[in-house]
Amino acid sequence: MDDPTLVSTWLHAMVNSAEELATSTLGLEGITVINEELPKERDFPGSYVALIGDSYNFEYGIAGSWDSCAVLARALLFMEPEEELSDDDLADAVNEVINIVAGGIKRRMSEIDTGLKLGLPAFFNGTLHPTSHQEAAASKVDLAGAEVYLMVFRHRT
């Protein structure tokens, strides 16, 4: 396993967990990594959740355009593209996506930190970006036909 202190190691676990969500829950062939960079766009909706452990503390986020979040929400809810999707259903579905992905990260990384605990997801409309006290890594991926960013943030010690 890569150095567990590197945020890129935890991003890799996130991408693998999203791949698992795509192939198992959503019944897709997988995801496509488009690039590895933090989003430059502003005012993206999305969701984030904390994963707190004895040794490591991270926040995970997923964000994309409103259209991309709607595509992802409809895929999770097994809805047709033309079906009406309320703002609450969109937020709940995107929260559930990050919750599932973070659960997969917890399972993958539990061997290096057995005390990992998952927080509650929070929906946002804005941009998650690191402060000078954080490290961050991100991958832009195609997940269920939606281009979204998978992001990891770690507080510097």
Side-chain angles (χ1 to χ4, degrees), residues 11 15 32-40 138-142 147-150:
L11 176 63
V15 170
T32 303
V33 175
I34 298 168
N35 60 40
E36 292 191 358
E37 66 182 14
L38 287 167
K40 295 176 180 72
S139 286
K140 185 176 185 180
V141 302
D142 182 316
E147 287 188 5
V148 294
Y149 288 91
L150 303 176

mmCIF file of all heavy atoms in Angstrom, residues 11 15 32-40 138-142 147-150:
data_model
loop_
_atom_site.group_PDB
_atom_site.id
_atom_site.type_symbol
_atom_site.label_atom_id
_atom_site.label_comp_id
_atom_site.label_asym_id
_atom_site.label_seq_id
_atom_site.Cartn_x
_atom_site.Cartn_y
_atom_site.Cartn_z
ATOM 1 N N LEU A 11 -7.249 9.309 -2.117
ATOM 2 C CA LEU A 11 -8.003 9.575 -3.350
ATOM 3 C C LEU A 11 -8.109 8.299 -4.176
ATOM 4 O O LEU A 11 -9.170 8.003 -4.730
ATOM 5 C CB LEU A 11 -7.344 10.688 -4.169
ATOM 6 C CG LEU A 11 -8.001 10.984 -5.519
ATOM 7 C CD1 LEU A 11 -9.439 11.478 -5.339
ATOM 8 C CD2 LEU A 11 -7.176 11.998 -6.304
ATOM 9 N N VAL A 15 -11.525 6.644 -5.604
ATOM 10 C CA VAL A 15 -11.814 6.284 -6.996
ATOM 11 C C VAL A 15 -12.204 4.803 -7.077
ATOM 12 O O VAL A 15 -13.162 4.448 -7.766
ATOM 13 C CB VAL A 15 -10.620 6.622 -7.911
ATOM 14 C CG1 VAL A 15 -10.810 6.044 -9.308
ATOM 15 C CG2 VAL A 15 -10.414 8.134 -7.980
ATOM 16 N N THR A 32 -14.791 6.348 -15.663
ATOM 17 C CA THR A 32 -13.649 6.791 -16.448
ATOM 18 C C THR A 32 -13.031 7.982 -15.750
ATOM 19 O O THR A 32 -13.721 8.967 -15.462
ATOM 20 C CB THR A 32 -14.093 7.215 -17.869
ATOM 21 O OG1 THR A 32 -14.758 6.123 -18.488
ATOM 22 C CG2 THR A 32 -12.903 7.636 -18.700
ATOM 23 N N VAL A 33 -11.735 7.888 -15.443
ATOM 24 C CA VAL A 33 -11.027 9.034 -14.875
ATOM 25 C C VAL A 33 -10.643 9.950 -16.030
ATOM 26 O O VAL A 33 -9.983 9.528 -16.979
ATOM 27 C CB VAL A 33 -9.775 8.600 -14.085
ATOM 28 C CG1 VAL A 33 -8.989 9.807 -13.601
ATOM 29 C CG2 VAL A 33 -10.172 7.714 -12.905
ATOM 30 N N ILE A 34 -11.096 11.194 -15.962
ATOM 31 C CA ILE A 34 -10.832 12.173 -17.009
ATOM 32 C C ILE A 34 -9.515 12.889 -16.747
ATOM 33 O O ILE A 34 -8.684 13.027 -17.637
ATOM 34 C CB ILE A 34 -12.002 13.175 -17.112
ATOM 35 C CG1 ILE A 34 -13.285 12.419 -17.486
ATOM 36 C CG2 ILE A 34 -11.682 14.293 -18.106
ATOM 37 C CD1 ILE A 34 -14.556 13.223 -17.339
ATOM 38 N N ASN A 35 -9.321 13.356 -15.532
ATOM 39 C CA ASN A 35 -8.051 13.972 -15.147
ATOM 40 C C ASN A 35 -7.977 14.027 -13.626
ATOM 41 O O ASN A 35 -8.937 13.694 -12.947
ATOM 42 C CB ASN A 35 -7.867 15.365 -15.769
ATOM 43 C CG ASN A 35 -8.936 16.350 -15.361
ATOM 44 O OD1 ASN A 35 -9.364 16.395 -14.210
ATOM 45 N ND2 ASN A 35 -9.378 17.169 -16.301
ATOM 46 N N GLU A 36 -6.819 14.430 -13.133
ATOM 47 C CA GLU A 36 -6.638 14.556 -11.689
ATOM 48 C C GLU A 36 -6.284 15.999 -11.379
ATOM 49 O O GLU A 36 -5.129 16.397 -11.492
ATOM 50 C CB GLU A 36 -5.573 13.585 -11.192
ATOM 51 C CG GLU A 36 -6.022 12.150 -11.300
ATOM 52 C CD GLU A 36 -5.125 11.167 -10.574
ATOM 53 O OE1 GLU A 36 -4.105 11.588 -9.988
ATOM 54 O OE2 GLU A 36 -5.452 9.975 -10.607
ATOM 55 N N GLU A 37 -7.305 16.765 -11.036
ATOM 56 C CA GLU A 37 -7.112 18.151 -10.640
ATOM 57 C C GLU A 37 -8.334 18.621 -9.866
ATOM 58 O O GLU A 37 -9.426 18.087 -10.025
ATOM 59 C CB GLU A 37 -6.881 19.055 -11.846
ATOM 60 C CG GLU A 37 -8.080 19.161 -12.769
ATOM 61 C CD GLU A 37 -7.819 20.037 -13.985
ATOM 62 O OE1 GLU A 37 -6.655 20.349 -14.264
ATOM 63 O OE2 GLU A 37 -8.796 20.410 -14.649
ATOM 64 N N LEU A 38 -8.133 19.615 -9.031
ATOM 65 C CA LEU A 38 -9.243 20.214 -8.303
ATOM 66 C C LEU A 38 -10.081 21.047 -9.270
ATOM 67 O O LEU A 38 -9.551 21.590 -10.245
ATOM 68 C CB LEU A 38 -8.724 21.103 -7.170
ATOM 69 C CG LEU A 38 -8.135 20.348 -5.979
ATOM 70 C CD1 LEU A 38 -7.378 21.311 -5.078
ATOM 71 C CD2 LEU A 38 -9.226 19.646 -5.214
ATOM 72 N N PRO A 39 -11.384 21.142 -9.028
ATOM 73 C CA PRO A 39 -12.220 21.928 -9.936
ATOM 74 C C PRO A 39 -11.858 23.409 -9.900
ATOM 75 O O PRO A 39 -11.538 23.955 -8.851
ATOM 76 C CB PRO A 39 -13.634 21.701 -9.411
ATOM 77 C CG PRO A 39 -13.475 21.226 -8.023
ATOM 78 C CD PRO A 39 -12.142 20.550 -7.945
ATOM 79 N N LYS A 40 -11.894 24.008 -11.067
ATOM 80 C CA LYS A 40 -11.677 25.451 -11.163
ATOM 81 C C LYS A 40 -13.014 26.181 -11.180
ATOM 82 O O LYS A 40 -13.093 27.362 -10.899
ATOM 83 C CB LYS A 40 -10.885 25.771 -12.424
ATOM 84 C CG LYS A 40 -9.477 25.204 -12.397
ATOM 85 C CD LYS A 40 -8.770 25.463 -13.713
ATOM 86 C CE LYS A 40 -7.370 24.927 -13.724
ATOM 87 N NZ LYS A 40 -7.238 23.502 -13.778
ATOM 88 N N ALA A 138 -7.864 15.531 -6.178
ATOM 89 C CA ALA A 138 -9.162 15.313 -6.816
ATOM 90 C C ALA A 138 -8.988 14.593 -8.139
ATOM 91 O O ALA A 138 -7.948 14.696 -8.783
ATOM 92 C CB ALA A 138 -9.878 16.638 -7.040
ATOM 93 N N SER A 139 -10.017 13.880 -8.518
ATOM 94 C CA SER A 139 -10.113 13.270 -9.836
ATOM 95 C C SER A 139 -11.446 13.664 -10.441
ATOM 96 O O SER A 139 -12.485 13.550 -9.793
ATOM 97 C CB SER A 139 -10.054 11.737 -9.748
ATOM 98 O OG SER A 139 -8.759 11.293 -9.478
ATOM 99 N N LYS A 140 -11.395 14.141 -11.669
ATOM 100 C CA LYS A 140 -12.625 14.364 -12.420
ATOM 101 C C LYS A 140 -12.932 13.046 -13.116
ATOM 102 O O LYS A 140 -12.074 12.471 -13.791
ATOM 103 C CB LYS A 140 -12.446 15.479 -13.440
ATOM 104 C CG LYS A 140 -13.726 15.850 -14.168
ATOM 105 C CD LYS A 140 -13.488 17.036 -15.099
ATOM 106 C CE LYS A 140 -14.773 17.491 -15.745
ATOM 107 N NZ LYS A 140 -14.533 18.635 -16.642
ATOM 108 N N VAL A 141 -14.151 12.545 -12.910
ATOM 109 C CA VAL A 141 -14.518 11.240 -13.455
ATOM 110 C C VAL A 141 -15.853 11.317 -14.176
ATOM 111 O O VAL A 141 -16.651 12.220 -13.936
ATOM 112 C CB VAL A 141 -14.586 10.148 -12.351
ATOM 113 C CG1 VAL A 141 -13.259 10.008 -11.624
ATOM 114 C CG2 VAL A 141 -15.715 10.425 -11.372
ATOM 115 N N ASP A 142 -16.073 10.347 -15.033
ATOM 116 C CA ASP A 142 -17.389 10.138 -15.627
ATOM 117 C C ASP A 142 -18.010 8.988 -14.856
ATOM 118 O O ASP A 142 -17.520 7.861 -14.896
ATOM 119 C CB ASP A 142 -17.264 9.792 -17.110
ATOM 120 C CG ASP A 142 -18.620 9.621 -17.777
ATOM 121 O OD1 ASP A 142 -19.500 8.969 -17.182
ATOM 122 O OD2 ASP A 142 -18.792 10.122 -18.891
ATOM 123 N N GLU A 147 -20.201 13.939 -15.356
ATOM 124 C CA GLU A 147 -18.838 14.352 -15.040
ATOM 125 C C GLU A 147 -18.854 15.026 -13.676
ATOM 126 O O GLU A 147 -19.499 16.061 -13.499
ATOM 127 C CB GLU A 147 -18.291 15.298 -16.100
ATOM 128 C CG GLU A 147 -17.965 14.588 -17.391
ATOM 129 C CD GLU A 147 -17.233 15.463 -18.390
ATOM 130 O OE1 GLU A 147 -16.880 16.623 -18.072
ATOM 131 O OE2 GLU A 147 -17.019 14.977 -19.514
ATOM 132 N N VAL A 148 -18.182 14.402 -12.719
ATOM 133 C CA VAL A 148 -18.134 14.910 -11.355
ATOM 134 C C VAL A 148 -16.707 14.860 -10.846
ATOM 135 O O VAL A 148 -15.868 14.118 -11.363
ATOM 136 C CB VAL A 148 -19.066 14.113 -10.405
ATOM 137 C CG1 VAL A 148 -20.524 14.296 -10.768
ATOM 138 C CG2 VAL A 148 -18.698 12.645 -10.374
ATOM 139 N N TYR A 149 -16.454 15.654 -9.825
ATOM 140 C CA TYR A 149 -15.158 15.641 -9.156
ATOM 141 C C TYR A 149 -15.263 14.817 -7.885
ATOM 142 O O TYR A 149 -16.201 14.995 -7.104
ATOM 143 C CB TYR A 149 -14.717 17.061 -8.789
ATOM 144 C CG TYR A 149 -14.306 17.888 -9.974
ATOM 145 C CD1 TYR A 149 -15.236 18.679 -10.640
ATOM 146 C CD2 TYR A 149 -12.990 17.872 -10.425
ATOM 147 C CE1 TYR A 149 -14.861 19.445 -11.729
ATOM 148 C CE2 TYR A 149 -12.613 18.633 -11.514
ATOM 149 C CZ TYR A 149 -13.550 19.420 -12.161
ATOM 150 O OH TYR A 149 -13.171 20.169 -13.241
ATOM 151 N N LEU A 150 -14.307 13.928 -7.677
ATOM 152 C CA LEU A 150 -14.130 13.212 -6.420
ATOM 153 C C LEU A 150 -12.964 13.901 -5.719
ATOM 154 O O LEU A 150 -11.865 13.962 -6.276
ATOM 155 C CB LEU A 150 -13.817 11.735 -6.674
ATOM 156 C CG LEU A 150 -14.831 10.961 -7.497
ATOM 157 C CD1 LEU A 150 -14.323 9.540 -7.749
ATOM 158 C CD2 LEU A 150 -16.189 10.941 -6.827
#
